Amino acid sequence: MSEELSASRPAAASFTPPFTRSYARGATDVPLIEQPIGAFFDVIAARQPDHEALVSVHQGRRYSYRELQREANRLASALLGLGLQPGERVGIWSHNNAEWVLLQLATAKAGLVLVNINPAYRTAEVEYALNKVGCKALVTMARFKTSDYLGMLNELAPEWAHGLPGQLESVTLPHLKTVVWIDEAGKGDDQPGLTRFSSLVASGNPDDARLVEIASTLKATDPINIQFTSGTTGFPKGATLTHRNILNNGFFIGEAMKLTPADRLCIPVPLYHCFGMVLGNLACLTHGATIIYPNDGFEPLSVLQTVQDEQCTGLHGVPTMFIAELDHPRFAEFDLSTLRTGIMAGSPCPTEVMKRVVNDMNLGQITIAYGMTETSPVSCQSSVDTPLEKRVSTVGLVQPHLEVKIIDPESSQIVAPGVSGELCTRGYSVMHGYWDDAPRTKEAIDADGWMHTGDLATMDAEGYVNIVGRIKDMVIRGGENIYPREIEEFLYRHPKVQDVQVVGLPDKRYGEELCAWVVTRPGETLSEDEVREFCKGKIAHYKVPRYIRFVPGFPMTVTGKIQKFKIRDEMKNQLGLEEDKTA
């Protein structure tokens, strides 16, 4: 989608604060990058070949920009050696490691489309994902904790056990011809029919002339990445993103953080998700900064240890990660004085948690980012210069070269500042489309190029956006519209509350009632009566949750997104509630 405004739309000067309607357009003084990822990375590597590019702490591996470039080229050559052609799909089914970012760069250089497979997927899900996009090759971890990835693949295609590397044939996975498993420098049991990652890399030539030839044919608008959205109904959709989508988004995210080569960013968020891959890897690589992985999966102690040992200047995370770090029993032991910036995103960022992160973790320049996979992902972000009160209460301003508007879901008219409506985004970041799914693409992106996010938001007179919930999350109790986010923000103020999630449950009298799941701070006890007394006189009576449960945690995805539908379903089962079918 083009970021250019049509002649029928007003000029940018018409939309400087104070806004009279909820529409904003980002700055355009810094031009968009119109190079493919590989070419842009090569420029950065040539500028600072000896600067540290990657540290994978749990693997004990370090790469300079020159070394990372050379290994990525070697891997790209090896992928071509498998017979893969530009435009074909290569899957990655793995937690965080050096192999992940090497494959990210190598596929971009070879013109292959990287398909991110959720490490939480099981057999039916991975079968669907691989077949949906026709993956020709898959790179996978052998196993992780209780997940046996090779075991699941062998369950799907037992005939592989008798095959030869590069000659896989499966009825269940007909497109997949090569499976590469990530070994530890050649260590590990042999996997009949499968290829070791270390052996594959060794087969490549970093000076392969084919890479130069392919580079000359690649365009910034070529699809380069497919990410499956975590929808709550139906099969996941494969959001297809281009070089231009994710490279520019990574660059402008880094600009908001004021990243430089001196920065060292700790990335504990999953790489299979845009948060790790774009807000992490590409934000660093476009600014010559250093990528640091503290572990393969999130573990708060390893994050704190890595920040101290590697003198990290930045730290990413979803709110639940920051809460786990702040509340770790050994938190006070670590020196976090080198920290400066980072991003909190992935789910609504509680104001009280933001304040603790700023005050207790030395993250005075932390930013908030908002977006969705289909917009590469970030549409709005606060910057290091955003006033603190705006940084802890909004998701910032529209990103450069993008437009956002907030519309009435019924009339599609742009609403006035302060009025809630659906947030829509338009510009370079809007996805190429859902893979092989034109009808669902058309549902999401309208004829004028606006991506309809399904998120409810407000915009103030200065253009700052605040996410108030999902359209489907809004609770209607006795005719009153209630946004769970508002109730959550209020309950976070209670000194004994560590985390809270609010959902709506069916009710015969009022249509819906509120339910709060509360995680108390370590060592604290809390009662339902105490919570209600805390609410009394401070919020409207209809906003006080009828149902309150104290829980150790919430059901969530591997990216830290709370699965509210599971909370709702569990409570409905506990209480024997049924939806009102007459509504």
Side-chain angles (χ1 to χ4, degrees):
M1 302 302 165
S2 172
E3 76 285 353
E4 296 296 327
L5 289 170
S6 70
S8 63
R9 273 174 271 159
S14 301
F15 294 99
T16 55
F19 294 120
T20 57
R21 58 181 188 148
S22 297
Y23 167 89
R25 182 161 56 126
T28 56
D29 52 320
V30 177
L32 288 168
I33 300 167
E34 300 294 358
Q35 293 171 281
I37 290 171
F40 192 85
F41 173 71
D42 286 345
V43 171
I44 300 295
R47 185 183 302 161
Q48 48 177 52
D50 298 321
H51 189 69
E52 197 162 58
L54 171 67
V55 179
S56 184
V57 173
H58 60 290
Q59 295 177 292
R61 288 156 69 178
R62 294 175 184 272
Y63 296 80
S64 67
Y65 268 83
R66 178 191 288 114
E67 291 166 340
L68 189 64
Q69 178 189 41
R70 195 159 182 81
E71 285 304 288
N73 287 347
R74 190 188 304 276
L75 178 56
S77 168
L79 292 172
L80 295 176
L82 294 175
L84 293 166
Q85 300 295 317
E88 292 185 324
R89 277 73 65 201
V90 176
I92 173 73
W93 195 20
S94 173
H95 287 272
N96 296 9
N97 47 43
E99 288 80 1
W100 214 109
V101 69
L102 283 169
L103 192 65
Q104 181 182 358
L105 290 169
T107 49
K109 282 174 167 284
L112 299 164
V113 180
L114 182 68
V115 181
N116 300 9
I117 307 293
N118 187 332
Y121 275 5
R122 293 301 177 257
T123 51
E125 296 158 317
V126 76
E127 178 186 354
Y128 170 80
L130 293 173
N131 287 338
K132 174 66 178 176
V133 302
C135 272
K136 289 290 186 70
L138 174 68
V139 176
T140 179
M141 294 181 87
R143 59 191 56 83
F144 180 79
K145 295 184 179 178
T146 60
S147 298
D148 182 357
Y149 297 110
L150 293 181
M152 284 185 268
L153 289 170
N154 284 326
E155 183 182 334
L156 284 170
E159 59 268 41
W160 288 351
H162 309 291
L164 296 172
Q167 297 181 356
L168 301 180
E169 295 291 342
S170 167
V171 174
T172 310
L173 300 170
H175 306 284
L176 193 61
K177 303 304 177 187
T178 305
V179 174
V180 180
W181 64 285
I182 299 172
D183 57 325
E184 296 181 13
K187 298 178 183 177
D189 300 330
D190 285 335
Q191 302 291 331
L194 308 185
T195 303
R196 290 177 182 268
F197 190 90
S198 58
S199 300
L200 176 66
V201 174
S203 71
N205 173 13
D207 301 313
D208 193 332
R210 290 176 297 178
L211 296 179
V212 178
E213 294 173 14
I214 289 172
S216 68
T217 69
L218 298 180
K219 304 186 298 295
T221 51
D222 291 338
I224 201 64
N225 181 227
I226 297 173
Q227 303 201 22
F228 288 94
T229 59
S230 52
T232 57
T233 60
F235 288 108
K237 296 167 287 189
T240 306
L241 306 173
T242 67
H243 294 268
R244 193 172 188 258
N245 286 152
I246 59 177
L247 184 62
N248 280 289
N249 212 247
F251 174 76
F252 286 113
I253 286 162
E255 290 290 282
M257 297 165 63
K258 286 189 165 41
L259 289 183
T260 72
D263 281 300
R264 300 170 64 81
L265 181 62
C266 182
I267 306 174
V269 294
L271 296 179
Y272 97 86
H273 188 266
C274 270
F275 200 166
M277 178 184 167
V278 180
L279 285 74
N281 288 353
L282 290 179
C284 285
L285 295 178
T286 52
H287 290 81
T290 304
I291 295 167
I292 299 177
Y293 304 144
N295 215 327
D296 39 16
F298 174 69
E299 195 285 308
L301 189 60
S302 64
V303 173
L304 296 168
Q305 190 74 57
T306 295
V307 169
Q308 174 179 277
D309 294 351
E310 294 293 332
Q311 297 187 308
C312 296
T313 62
L315 174 61
H316 283 357
V318 298
T320 51
M321 289 180 176
F322 282 106
I323 289 169
E325 292 150 13
L326 285 161
D327 290 336
H328 194 280
R330 294 182 55 192
F331 176 78
E333 297 178 25
F334 296 95
D335 179 3
L336 309 180
S337 61
T338 57
L339 284 176
R340 171 184 71 80
T341 189
I343 295 173
M344 191 188 296
S347 61
C349 304
T351 300
E352 295 304 314
V353 175
M354 268 292 288
K355 290 177 180 177
R356 291 179 67 198
V357 166
V358 169
N359 294 329
D360 300 342
M361 299 186 76
N362 201 48
L363 284 165
Q365 295 184 352
I366 193 168
T367 70
I368 294 289
Y370 161 80
M372 60 191 307
T373 304
E374 290 90 336
T375 56
S376 306
V378 172
S379 300
C380 298
Q381 187 178 358
S382 59
S383 72
V384 299
D385 300 320
T386 302
L388 184 59
E389 67 272 14
K390 295 289 188 184
R391 230 179 318 145
V392 301
S393 62
T394 76
V395 295
L397 302 169
V398 61
Q399 274 269 17
H401 294 276
L402 298 178
E403 299 170 85
V404 294
K405 66 178 180 179
I406 298 171
I407 63 170
D408 182 302
E410 298 297 325
S411 69
S412 296
Q413 296 301 305
I414 298 176
V415 300
V419 176
S420 174
E422 183 183 16
L423 180 64
C424 299
T425 298
R426 178 166 63 181
Y428 78 83
S429 72
V430 174
M431 67 176 177
H432 188 74
Y434 292 123
W435 185 270
D436 194 26
D437 200 338
R440 294 173 98 178
T441 300
K442 191 173 180 180
E443 288 174 11
I445 305 170
D446 67 27
D448 292 323
W450 289 99
M451 177 76 206
H452 290 250
T453 68
D455 286 320
L456 288 169
T458 60
M459 182 186 293
D460 67 17
E462 296 177 87
Y464 286 94
V465 174
N466 185 33
I467 306 300
V468 298
R470 293 285 297 170
I471 289 177
K472 292 180 181 178
D473 285 344
M474 186 176 72
V475 176
I476 304 176
R477 181 191 183 276
E480 298 281 1
N481 291 350
I482 305 171
Y483 301 109
R485 173 74 188 278
E486 178 189 356
I487 316 303
E488 291 162 358
E489 289 284 1
F490 174 76
L491 292 176
Y492 274 117
R493 300 178 192 173
H494 194 293
K496 293 183 180 180
V497 171
Q498 180 187 78
D499 210 350
V500 59
Q501 292 294 316
V502 174
V503 299
L505 298 177
D507 183 77
K508 290 182 178 179
R509 181 178 180 185
Y510 292 105
E512 288 184 286
E513 281 280 14
L514 293 175
C515 170
W517 273 23
V518 178
V519 178
T520 56
R521 291 191 185 283
E524 298 285 2
T525 58
L526 193 58
S527 69
E528 293 182 39
D529 287 343
E530 283 182 85
V531 173
R532 293 193 177 96
E533 186 61 30
F534 181 72
C535 297
K536 189 176 180 181
K538 296 176 184 173
I539 59 175
H541 69 89
Y542 62 84
K543 296 180 181 179
V544 179
R546 176 178 176 184
Y547 305 102
I548 299 170
R549 296 290 185 271
F550 299 99
V551 297
F554 310 121
M556 63 179 66
T557 67
V558 293
T559 59
K561 289 188 175 182
I562 309 296
Q563 295 175 303
K564 285 194 171 186
F565 70 96
K566 289 189 176 182
I567 297 176
R568 190 178 296 110
D569 289 346
E570 184 170 332
M571 288 302 299
K572 283 164 60 180
N573 290 335
Q574 281 185 23
L575 299 168
L577 301 174
E578 294 184 4
E579 301 286 356
D580 182 358
K581 303 301 182 184
T582 64

